[in-house]
Amino acid sequence: MNEPHDTPQHGPDHSAHLSRRVFLRGAAATGTVLAVGAGTAGAAAAAPGGFPDYAYVRTLLKPSDLAYNPTGEIIFPCVRGTVGRVSGALGRFHLYYAPHDAPGGICLAYGDSLEGPFTEYPDNPVVANDWQPHYKVSHVSSPHVLWNEDAEEMWLYFHGENTTTRLARSKDGIHFTYDKVVLSTSMMPTGTTETSYARVFRHDLPSRGARYVMLFMLNNTTNHRDIAWGWSADGRSWTFDQKPLVKHSDVGAVNVGGPHLLTRGGSAYVVYNTDRGSGGDVLITEVGKDFSRRDHLGVFHDSMSGAPDNGRTASPSFGTENGVPYMIYEAGERLQGAIALARAKQ
């Protein structure tokens, strides 16, 4: 229900977006296979890969409306369903988010519909930047929560500092127990300066003996951010590819980040936000079921020029309710945004 959906949805034609999508698709496809049907009216009715187009519905959370608001900004939403997972849950859905700047803090809101309303948990943050004896850092941020069916727990991956991704675990999705560091710059090539904004997904890679995949943002001394990845048998101990999965230069961006895994039709895709110096959209790359492909397919979601996007959409998370796919995302200028909701066009 709340994990990446794999059923293609097709909405009405949206010719207003066609020229931009096709142009960026072509610009991003250098040296790769372009999406079949690119540039046709039929292809414009859906995002590349046959995924639905999403249209803005409403803003779910604004910093000014929150009791815990240390910095006036929030980022990186992650939505998870609680039904059949958490007994006595506060709502059918948990929505996790965080401020980016110090002190950050992993926060929770809850509601009974993906379309809201969501209520702020009164004791935010549920994870702070000082958790003795495990760590004391300037900030913690970028929460990604995975329902781990093996452990029957909510597993929270988060960063703090930007060099370190950590894991905490919970039975109720509210009260967490610290586990361990799962990723740091020391595990990546010399010169790596950031390993953050990680998301983890249940995805089998039999040839690697893996059942989980991690996607994250990688930075180095060139100060251009790429998407990197790793794999794990248990979600705790990881092996990381030492080369980027998606390079910023491959898609004509200054930086790429906020990656999310989607699957459909026996293949896997990575969607991620771009920074071209002013605003940014969400792009999509097909990596294949075994992550052996690198087919850059262009624009997955075209940000609106008006509010709340103001030309920037980032860090998408996905959920499905009553068979309808939704995208929850970071909307607006970096460090000035809110959490917004888009629904698949029918």
Side-chain angles (χ1 to χ4, degrees), residues 232-251:
S232 172
D234 61 5
R236 297 183 70 245
S237 299
W238 293 84
T239 301
F240 298 102
D241 194 328
Q242 299 298 288
K243 297 179 180 179
L245 180 69
V246 179
K247 296 180 181 179
H248 69 282
S249 56
D250 291 343
V251 294

Side-chain angles (χ1 to χ4, degrees), residues 122-147:
D123 294 326
N124 279 333
V126 295
V127 172
N129 65 324
D130 186 354
W131 193 347
Q132 298 295 335
H134 309 297
Y135 62 77
K136 183 176 182 180
V137 295
S138 71
H139 76 292
V140 291
S141 193
S142 70
H144 177 81
V145 174
L146 166 79
W147 170 250

Side-chain angles (χ1 to χ4, degrees), residues 3 13 49 52 61 64 147 185 205 228 231-232 238 246 262 276 326:
E3 303 297 337
D13 187 10
L61 296 174
S64 59
W147 170 250
T185 53
L205 293 172
W231 54 92
S232 172
W238 293 84
V246 179
L262 296 175
R276 290 187 170 85
Y326 291 88

Side-chain angles (χ1 to χ4, degrees), residues 127 131-135 158 160 164-170 175-182 236:
V127 172
W131 193 347
Q132 298 295 335
H134 309 297
Y135 62 77
F158 63 103
T164 306
T165 295
R166 306 172 186 274
L167 170 64
R169 301 164 61 170
S170 173
H175 305 94
F176 288 88
T177 300
Y178 187 80
D179 192 328
K180 61 181 293 188
V181 170
V182 293
R236 297 183 70 245

Side-chain angles (χ1 to χ4, degrees), residues 253-286:
V254 177
N255 298 294
V256 290
H260 197 292
L261 185 70
L262 296 175
T263 58
R264 177 184 174 273
S267 192
Y269 303 77
V270 178
V271 296
Y272 48 92
N273 55 264
T274 63
D275 172 9
R276 290 187 170 85
S278 177
D281 300 317
V282 176
L283 302 190
I284 180 169
T285 294
E286 184 173 6

